[in-house]
Each structure stands twice: as structure tokens, then as C-alpha cells.
Amino acid sequence: MVGYDQLTAEAFLNGNGTTQPQGLWTGLDGTASELSPAVAETFNANLDPYSVQNALPPRFQAGAVWLADISTINKLSEAETSNGAPRYPHVGDAEPVLLRKRLHECSNMRGVSDINAAATTDNPILIYGDIKRCYTIVDFAGSTVELVPHLLGANRRPTGERGLLLWSRVGAGVVIANAARVLNVATTA
């Protein structure tokens, strides 16, 4: 089941929407919910979280949470005020909080460590919003696991191994794009 969890977690963030469920980032990409950083091609831990939070409409603030990769979370925990105090003192807590809202680690997201100014790519590193209202996941029929008594190799001959085949029908997509904001640190070579 770990493999299934990893595949669905990746699809729920970056899925293409045709052969996979539509991912949260995929559904927000190119919409008004996609925001640029204060300084092009750079994540500014002192400014960008505030602009992302301020861009979310008030009706979605009550249920809003943050999603970020561990490298982005670590960058936020390094941020300091001008007198050297931690800017976000609760980011390193057991239940992390950023700007009074829960912060969840999402290991499939790109992080600040992935930003490469020498490459042309999108880097959605911070998502903030009411994810429950923004994104819907539908599990159509549950999962089924079947025993495969003889696995075949590349030469189509039995390998002497057994396996399990797990299949399920899952769909997902962004239903209210306005309920979330994503900081995309886009880079151009």
C-alpha cells in the first residue's frame, strides 16, 4: 500500500487530469490563484508568505492551511526579524504554524532547494488556502488486491516470483480555484 500512497500523493499534487487525477498544482497553474514572488526567480521568506496569505479572499481564510516542502519549511524557520528574533517562531513546533495557520509538510511539492535560475521551470513552493473547499477527491469503488501467482520477466518467461496487483478508480480536481493561492517561483534560463 505504500506504493499506492506514493502514487496517489504525487497525482493529487501534480496529476495531469487525463491519465491521472488532476493535481492541486495542475488545477491552479495558469489561474488567478497563481502568484509570483516579490523578487523574480527568488523566494523571499520575509515577504512572500504575507503576500500569499493576503491574496486569499476573506471567505476562505477560516479554513485555510499551508502546504510546503521540507526545504521551504526549513527556509521559513531560518527567517529572522531585523533584531534577530525568529520571524515565524512556531514553524519548528511539533504542530507547525505559519502566520496563525497550520503548516503541513507536502514532500511531493517543489521546495526552495529545487529553484534553479539556470533552468526554465515552474516552482510552486507554497500553497495556502481552504484545501477542503478548493480540491475534491473521489474514490469510486475502493481498492482491489489480487494475487499474481507467476510474475513474468522481460523475456515473457516466469521469474519464480509472486506478486500483488492493486487497482482502484480515483478521480480528483480543483473545484474552486479561488479558495487557494500558490506561490510559483518561476525561473527562465
Side-chain angles (χ1 to χ4, degrees), residues 21 27 52 61 69 72-73 87 96-97 103 123-124 141 159 166 178 185 189:
V52 172
Q61 291 285 351
D69 171 76
T72 304
I73 293 171
R87 181 169 294 281
V97 174
L103 172 61
N123 296 292
T159 62
L166 181 138
N178 200 32
V185 183

Side-chain angles (χ1 to χ4, degrees), residues 56-125:
L56 189 70
R59 70 180 186 204
F60 300 115
Q61 291 285 351
V65 296
W66 294 92
L67 301 176
D69 171 76
I70 192 67
S71 67
T72 304
I73 293 171
N74 288 338
K75 189 65 153 179
L76 290 165
S77 68
E78 293 173 359
E80 295 180 343
T81 62
S82 58
N83 64 1
R87 181 169 294 281
Y88 312 112
H90 301 291
V91 167
D93 291 354
E95 293 185 12
V97 174
L98 175 62
L99 300 175
R100 298 166 309 283
K101 299 293 182 174
R102 287 294 313 268
L103 172 61
H104 299 279
E105 180 184 342
C106 183
S107 59
N108 292 320
M109 286 182 68
R110 295 184 65 80
V112 294
S113 61
D114 297 313
I115 299 172
N116 180 0
T120 300
T121 187
D122 284 332
N123 296 292
I125 63 167

Side-chain angles (χ1 to χ4, degrees), residues 36-57:
S36 297
V39 178
E41 300 187 3
T42 306
F43 174 63
N44 185 323
N46 293 320
L47 299 174
D48 292 333
Y50 293 102
S51 63
V52 172
Q53 188 175 50
N54 291 341
L56 189 70

Side-chain angles (χ1 to χ4, degrees), residues 20-40:
Q20 303 169 318
Q22 180 189 47
L24 178 60
W25 158 240
T26 309
L28 297 175
D29 186 18
T31 69
S33 295
E34 182 181 350
L35 305 174
S36 297
V39 178

